[in-house]
Amino acid sequence: GAVVSQHPSRVICKSGTSVKIECRSLDFQATTMFWYRQFPKKSLMLMATSNEGSKATYEQGVEKDKFLINHASLTLSTLTVTSAHPEDSSFYICSAAGVRGINEQYFGPGTRLTVT
Amino acid sequence: TQLLEQSPQFLSIQEGENLTVYCNSSSVFSSLQWYRQEPGEGPVLLVTVVTGGEVKKLKRLTFQFGDARKDSSLHITAAQPGDTGLYLCAGDTNAGKSTFGDGTTLTVKP
């Protein structure tokens, strides 16, 4: 149980274009979803917290107009990287909470974004 | 800001050895999670500890939550190559999100 999927797993896009990443909780309703960015051999950097039906809460230093988050339902959240640049290349991971409370997060497999 | 410090940052051992990874903070957490992450994949939840002094076992892995709920340890007995990965601890901030440690990269050589 508590399976979270992400799509796509890998994406290569050209500089200036936008990319949408989907995060789905497959077998439970996620009251909260989190979006993280991870650099090689580093820990997770929280970008934003999203609750279904409300605006996402962004961490300090994360541009909300560049990283658009939509949490349309209890099983789906999307992250759109707008006007992507090479420095946006990274491993993006989502997680969902709500199975046994907000403390436990179930992570998606991640999306490797490469901006050329 | 509630910070979690993990040590050691990197650990390379031979198969069969024992090891302990530490997660320390000056803050009190209502709960703490341990995750393992393999390259190119998302972290996988291993355990949640809630009560001060709590000890949980998962096969060869033993997790302990400090009495004051400020620190935790993960002990692996007879490590195997399959234990290789990035181990992350995360504390519940009561602000609706978790604080993650910097991680311990474990390599177990056959």
Side-chain angles (χ1 to χ4, degrees):
Chain A
V3 179
V4 176
S5 69
Q6 260 183 262
H7 178 80
S9 57
R10 292 177 177 271
V11 57
I12 300 173
C13 69
K14 292 185 177 181
S15 186
T17 61
S18 295
V19 174
K20 180 184 284 187
I21 302 170
E22 291 188 348
C23 178
R24 293 180 184 272
S25 57
L26 299 183
D27 52 2
F28 67 101
Q29 292 186 327
T31 53
T32 303
M33 287 185 170
F34 302 91
W35 286 95
Y36 295 87
R37 185 172 178 176
Q38 187 175 33
F39 294 99
K41 296 186 178 180
K42 295 293 185 182
S43 187
L44 305 173
M45 183 187 78
L46 180 64
M47 298 174 66
T49 303
S50 74
N51 294 291
E52 183 264 340
S54 62
K55 290 184 178 180
T57 302
Y58 290 81
E59 294 299 300
Q60 191 173 7
V62 178
E63 299 176 57
K64 62 180 181 180
D65 293 331
K66 180 169 184 62
F67 298 99
L68 300 178
I69 292 172
N70 183 280
H71 195 157
S73 74
L74 286 172
T75 60
L76 173 64
S77 177
T78 60
L79 166 67
T80 301
V81 182
T82 63
S83 186
H85 290 284
E87 56 265 31
D88 298 325
S89 298
S90 192
F91 192 53
Y92 292 88
I93 310 176
C94 72
S95 72
V99 177
R100 295 201 296 172
I102 199 139
N103 307 332
E104 294 185 346
Q105 297 181 41
Y106 294 88
F107 287 85
T111 296
R112 171 70 60 190
L113 170 63
T114 302
V115 185
T116 61
Chain B
T1 303
Q2 295 170 291
L3 297 176
L4 275 170
E5 295 183 353
Q6 285 187 241
S7 62
Q9 186 176 1
F10 297 96
L11 187 58
S12 181
I13 61 172
Q14 291 295 133
E15 181 176 3
E17 294 183 357
N18 302 330
L19 67 113
T20 302
V21 175
Y22 300 93
C23 177
N24 296 301
S25 176
S26 58
S27 302
V28 176
F29 294 100
S30 58
S31 70
L32 188 143
Q33 287 79 41
W34 283 93
Y35 298 85
R36 181 172 68 216
Q37 183 181 23
E38 298 189 20
E41 299 180 8
V44 174
L45 177 66
L46 296 175
V47 77
T48 295
V49 286
V50 179
T51 307
E54 181 177 7
V55 176
K56 281 191 173 181
K57 292 192 175 184
L58 184 64
K59 295 183 179 179
R60 294 176 292 101
L61 278 60
T62 301
F63 305 85
Q64 185 164 9
F65 202 12
D67 291 340
R69 289 185 287 125
K70 293 182 178 181
D71 54 85
S72 181
S73 64
L74 158 60
H75 182 80
I76 301 179
T77 303
Q80 299 177 0
D83 296 327
T84 293
L86 175 67
Y87 287 82
L88 297 161
C89 64
D92 172 32
T93 67
N94 283 329
K97 58 186 179 183
S98 296
T99 295
F100 278 82
D102 287 338
T104 294
T105 299
L106 170 66
T107 303
V108 182
K109 300 176 182 178

